[in-house]
Amino acid sequence: MGMQHVTLQSRPSLTPSQIADLRLAASKLTGPERRSFEAAMTLKYCAGNPLMAEAVLGWGRQTVARGLAESRSGILCLGAPAACSGRKRWEEH
């Protein structure tokens, strides 16, 4: 089960209008939904290559790679900002 060799020269045949539509759709989503969408579009149009998704669609390759890993494993990656920001508990005042 080898990985398919994909180069940046074999870019997908997307029009600038289609790329703009994909970027707009991704900008309306946040968190795991956004990563899932970007991963699905990367699999469909960029052969699962995060570097190509960054070059063609302008998405961060780390975000796309995390979305691909989440879709492969079924485990969502959650960050700590929610726990470390916002209003302090009354006990801490």
Side-chain angles (χ1 to χ4, degrees):
M1 181 161 75
M3 290 184 57
Q4 179 183 359
H5 181 69
V6 179
T7 63
L8 291 178
Q9 285 76 26
S10 62
R11 291 185 175 198
S13 59
L14 291 170
T15 66
S17 174
Q18 290 171 326
I19 292 172
D21 290 342
L22 290 173
R23 292 186 69 182
L24 177 64
S27 73
K28 302 293 181 185
L29 301 170
T30 59
E33 293 87 9
R34 181 181 189 146
R35 291 192 298 268
S36 176
F37 175 76
E38 289 181 1
M41 295 301 106
T42 300
L43 286 171
K44 183 173 183 178
Y45 295 113
C46 300
N49 187 337
L51 182 61
M52 186 181 291
E54 181 182 42
V56 174
L57 300 169
W59 295 331
R61 67 176 172 254
Q62 292 86 4
T63 304
V64 173
R66 181 175 293 158
L68 289 168
E70 287 176 344
S71 67
R72 243 188 336 267
S73 68
I75 300 172
L76 295 181
C77 300
L78 300 177
C84 301
S85 65
R87 187 173 153 264
K88 299 239 186 267
R89 298 180 62 166
W90 69 272
E91 294 95 350
E92 297 173 5
H93 286 291

